[in-house]
């Protein structure tokens, strides 16, 4: 069935039929290890299972609008002090998500320092295979050889404990344009191989995830007639709708319009912009609270993205149960935003956010591990958090400067250990090619280090 209605008609229809929009819920039988608490919650919550579903117009899949991004699963320390997936907690999160209708799970060989696929496979394999969709990727960034690429492909099946993959992506295309695409997938024969796997059904849908500029996007989309992209994954949120960096990223309104015109289903990554839209600056949060005191900041961002009908699923990396529960409130009985609300977020609110000098880091951790042990995403996260919360010391003439200075230095030391802070960056540049946002990481770290040193010396003047 083709989705050829306008976005305005979609909002009207969805609003009128919100109570009927959550068909195709997962049955309780698909969760063999449900706890008593989960079963009780299902009985108590009348909306449980009424997840907003979208139809993949290419193959008829009924996909939950809320997808589970498995890049940020919770970790714990093993006996040797090494970070490993907290499998028991991950299992509980996946059980609860499935119980409440979330059936799309997105992972990749490089997520969680290479541990995500195995953790995802262990959690999902405890449930019937036909009750969920698996998405993973060919992350052959550093070694383009056919041997290395085939190993990644075959390992995914083994780690995910499956004999077919529902949604398979060529990972992070865009940087380097067609030269990079040809090196990673054409010259080594992988594109021909994957098309053959799609014909056999081992790969049910073949697509790509995009990070790059407009020219690079247009080049990849021009290949649609030749390779047929079953779906495309893009970064989309109310900030990136019209405020993306034109040199490094593309405004999401352009990406959406081009894909919608070709009727290509869209998977959305970073709907919360690495958490920044879930914890925006106080000036932004206050305005949104005035409009709806009960709505969470995250719900505004999710409803913005989900209000566009070509969106198949929206990925969220839900680390804690409270994140999952809050997101379920948004997607069960989903209510699209009005035209006025969409414009208010993408223009008025985004314009306010433009005045805050945050680093455009989404905490994806592709840059990790740093060879010198620097906690790159931790440093950026702390810096952004202080700016958004209004606890950012700017000048010695600033009111409460002394308190703000002390609070920043104290919180920085607690958030990032001294031996992993920005002053240890030597500018080797190994992180640059790994960042999907094309952030000039060494220069940003040096900027933060200079800022911290001025705070320590009491010589800050911005």
């Amino acid at each position: 069935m083709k989705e050829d209605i306008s976005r305005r008609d979609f909002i009207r229809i969805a609003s009128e039929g919100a109570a009927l929009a959550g068909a195709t819920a997962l049955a309780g039988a698909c969760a063999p290890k449900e706890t008593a608490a989960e079963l009780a919650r299902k009985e108590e919550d009348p909306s449980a299972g009424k997840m907003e579903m979208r139809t993949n117009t290419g193959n008829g899949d009924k996909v939950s609008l809320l997808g589970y991004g498995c890049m940020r699963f919770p970790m714990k320390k093993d006996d040797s002090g090494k970070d490993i997936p907290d499998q028991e907690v991950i299992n509980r999160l996946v059980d609860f998500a499935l119980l409440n209708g979330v059936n799309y799970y997105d992972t990749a060989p490089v997520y969680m320092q290479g541990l995500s696929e195995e953790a995802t496979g262990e959690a999902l394999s405890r449930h019937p295979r036909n009750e969920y969709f698996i998405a993973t990727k060919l992350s052959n960034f550093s070694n383009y050889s056919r041997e290395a690429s085939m190993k990644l492909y075959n390992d995914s099946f083994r780690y995910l404990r499956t004999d077919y993959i529902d949604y398979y992506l060529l990972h992070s295309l865009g940087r380097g344009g067609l030269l990079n695409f040809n090196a990673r997938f054409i010259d080594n024969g992988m594109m021909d191989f994957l098309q053959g796997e799609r014909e056999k059904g081992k790969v049910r849908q073949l697509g790509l995830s995009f990070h790059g500029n407009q020219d690079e996007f247009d080049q990849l989309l021009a290949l649609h007639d030749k390779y047929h992209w079953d779906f495309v994954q893009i970064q989309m949120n109310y900030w990136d709708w019209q405020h993306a960096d034109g040199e490094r990223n593309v405004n999401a309104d352009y990406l959406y319009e081009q894909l919608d015109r070709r009727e290509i289903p869209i998977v959305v990554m970073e709907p919360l912009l690495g958490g920044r839209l879930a914890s925006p600056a106080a000036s932004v949060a206050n305005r949104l609270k005035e409009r709806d005191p009960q709505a969470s900041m995250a719900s505004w961002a999710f409803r913005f993205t989900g209000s566009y009908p070509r969106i198949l699923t929206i990925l969220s990396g839900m680390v804690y149960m409270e994140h999952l529960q809050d997101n379920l409130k948004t997607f069960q009985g989903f209510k699209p935003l009005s035209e006025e609300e969409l414009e208010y977020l993408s223009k008025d609110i985004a314009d306010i956010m433009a005045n805050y000098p945050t680093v455009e880091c989404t905490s994806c951790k592709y840059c990790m591990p740093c060879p010198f042990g620097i906690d790159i995403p931790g440093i950026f996260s702390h810096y952004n958090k202080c700016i958004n919360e209004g606890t950012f010391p700017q000048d010695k003439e600033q009111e409460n400067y002394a308190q703000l200075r002390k609070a920043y230095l104290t919180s920085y030391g607690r958030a990032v250990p001294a031996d992993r802070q920005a002053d240890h960056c030597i500018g080797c540049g190994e992180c640059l090619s790994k960042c999907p946002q094309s952030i000039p990481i060494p220069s940003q770290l040096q900027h933060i280090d200079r800022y911290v040193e001025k705070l320590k010396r009491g010589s800050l003047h911005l």
Side-chain angles (χ1 to χ4, degrees):
M1 180 180 67
K2 290 187 176 181
E3 289 182 320
D4 54 4
I5 60 174
S6 68
R7 204 201 65 77
R8 188 185 300 274
D9 289 337
F10 168 80
I11 288 178
R12 174 181 58 78
I13 293 169
S15 298
E16 292 172 353
L20 300 177
T24 320
L26 289 176
C30 76
K33 294 193 177 181
E34 294 169 0
T35 67
E38 290 165 350
L39 289 170
R41 182 179 297 278
K42 183 179 180 183
E43 293 298 323
E44 293 172 2
D45 185 356
S47 68
K50 296 181 180 178
M51 170 64 61
E52 171 80 2
M53 309 300 287
R54 295 288 168 86
T55 300
N56 182 339
T57 54
N59 68 356
D61 284 348
K62 303 293 184 182
V63 179
S64 57
L65 183 56
L66 174 60
Y68 214 124
C70 304
M71 184 170 67
R72 300 183 178 97
F73 272 147
M75 307 282 280
K76 67 177 183 180
K77 299 287 187 182
D78 65 10
D79 294 339
S80 66
K82 179 182 177 182
D83 287 328
I84 61 171
D86 191 336
Q87 196 65 51
E88 183 178 351
V89 174
I90 292 170
N91 289 351
R92 287 201 299 268
L93 288 167
V94 169
D95 290 351
F96 192 75
L98 279 166
L99 179 68
N100 283 276
V102 179
N103 67 0
Y104 189 99
Y105 294 81
D106 173 88
T107 182
V110 295
Y111 290 172
M112 296 172 60
Q113 306 297 302
L115 301 174
S116 175
E117 282 189 321
E118 191 168 8
T120 303
E122 182 170 339
L124 287 174
S125 64
R126 298 154 53 250
H127 301 270
R129 180 63 181 89
N130 63 351
E131 298 291 354
Y132 54 85
F133 301 114
I134 292 177
T136 193
K137 308 170 183 72
L138 183 52
S139 309
N140 59 343
F141 306 127
S142 57
N143 189 337
Y144 304 165
S145 71
R146 184 179 179 88
E147 181 182 7
S149 300
M150 287 297 298
K151 184 178 187 310
L152 285 172
Y153 178 76
N154 290 323
D155 283 350
S156 291
F157 287 88
R158 179 164 57 89
Y159 290 139
L160 291 165
R161 306 186 188 190
T162 184
D163 55 4
Y164 67 93
I165 292 173
D166 301 285
Y167 291 81
Y168 197 71
L169 300 92
L170 310 184
H171 198 179
S172 194
L173 293 188
R175 307 290 184 230
L178 291 183
L179 287 177
N180 180 262
F181 173 78
N182 289 337
R184 289 178 60 190
F185 305 110
I186 302 300
D187 298 342
N188 58 12
M190 287 306 297
M191 197 64 206
D192 288 339
F193 170 78
L194 291 174
Q195 287 182 294
E197 294 292 271
R198 179 169 56 182
E199 291 177 4
K200 297 175 184 176
K202 290 200 68 175
V203 170
R204 297 182 59 245
Q205 298 277 272
L206 182 60
L208 63 93
S209 64
F210 175 76
H211 295 278
N213 60 40
Q214 184 171 321
D215 288 342
E216 291 163 339
F217 179 75
D218 291 341
Q219 290 172 1
L220 291 169
L221 210 54
L223 299 175
H224 178 55
D225 291 339
K226 182 176 183 179
Y227 296 119
H228 184 76
W229 306 122
D230 292 311
F231 67 108
V232 172
Q233 186 166 304
I234 62 171
Q235 181 167 309
M236 177 174 162
N237 51 67
Y238 64 77
W239 165 261
D240 283 309
W241 191 247
Q242 293 181 334
H243 287 72
D245 181 334
E247 294 183 4
R248 296 180 295 162
N249 298 301
V250 189
N251 282 342
D253 63 346
Y254 178 82
L255 300 177
Y256 181 88
E257 189 275 332
Q258 294 298 313
L259 293 169
D260 185 45
R261 186 200 306 175
R262 294 167 175 81
E263 300 184 351
I264 299 175
I266 300 170
V267 173
V268 171
M269 56 186 162
E270 300 298 348
L272 300 181
L273 202 59
R276 280 183 282 162
L277 302 186
S279 302
S283 59
V284 169
N286 291 338
R287 283 171 169 80
L288 295 178
K289 282 296 182 184
E290 288 176 3
R291 287 203 162 217
D292 188 346
Q294 305 302 317
S296 67
M297 297 298 102
S299 69
W300 280 102
F302 286 130
R303 290 176 64 202
F304 175 88
T305 305
S307 294
Y308 291 86
R310 189 62 61 186
I311 304 305
L312 181 64
T313 191
I314 301 169
L315 302 177
S316 177
M318 296 166 281
V319 182
Y320 304 110
M321 184 63 74
E322 52 264 37
H323 295 164
L324 174 56
Q325 291 171 337
D326 183 63
N327 291 352
L328 288 171
K329 293 176 184 177
T330 300
F331 288 94
Q332 291 175 338
F334 183 79
K335 297 179 181 178
L337 296 178
S338 67
E339 294 283 355
E340 185 275 333
E341 289 171 323
L342 290 169
E343 185 170 350
Y344 178 69
L345 289 174
S346 62
K347 293 185 178 179
D348 297 356
I349 293 297
D351 284 346
I352 295 172
M353 291 177 59
N355 295 321
Y356 293 85
T358 55
V359 181
E360 296 180 6
C361 175
T362 63
S363 295
C364 69
K365 299 184 180 179
Y366 284 17
C367 57
M368 300 296 283
C370 166
F372 295 91
I374 299 169
D375 184 0
I376 298 169
I379 294 167
F380 291 158
S381 178
H382 173 266
Y383 184 80
N384 289 342
K385 182 174 183 287
C386 291
I387 291 176
N388 286 334
E389 291 181 349
T391 59
F392 185 69
Q394 301 177 50
D395 192 275
K396 295 179 70 173
E397 304 303 320
Q398 181 182 8
E399 184 180 0
N400 298 326
Y401 169 78
Q403 293 91 327
L404 292 174
R405 172 181 174 273
K406 181 179 179 181
Y408 186 95
L409 292 175
T410 300
S411 62
Y412 184 43
R414 289 174 178 171
V416 183
D419 60 351
R420 304 191 68 189
Q421 292 181 2
D423 58 325
H424 287 76
C425 176
I426 67 165
C428 70
E430 184 170 329
C431 52
L432 289 172
S433 63
K434 300 177 182 178
C435 179
Q437 306 298 323
S438 294
I439 297 170
I441 293 175
S443 63
Q444 289 284 13
L445 290 174
Q446 292 161 11
H447 166 74
I448 292 174
D449 179 44
R450 288 193 296 268
Y451 171 75
V452 170
E453 285 303 309
K454 288 180 180 179
L455 278 183
K456 290 178 178 178
R457 294 195 303 267
S459 59
L460 180 64
H461 291 281
L462 297 182

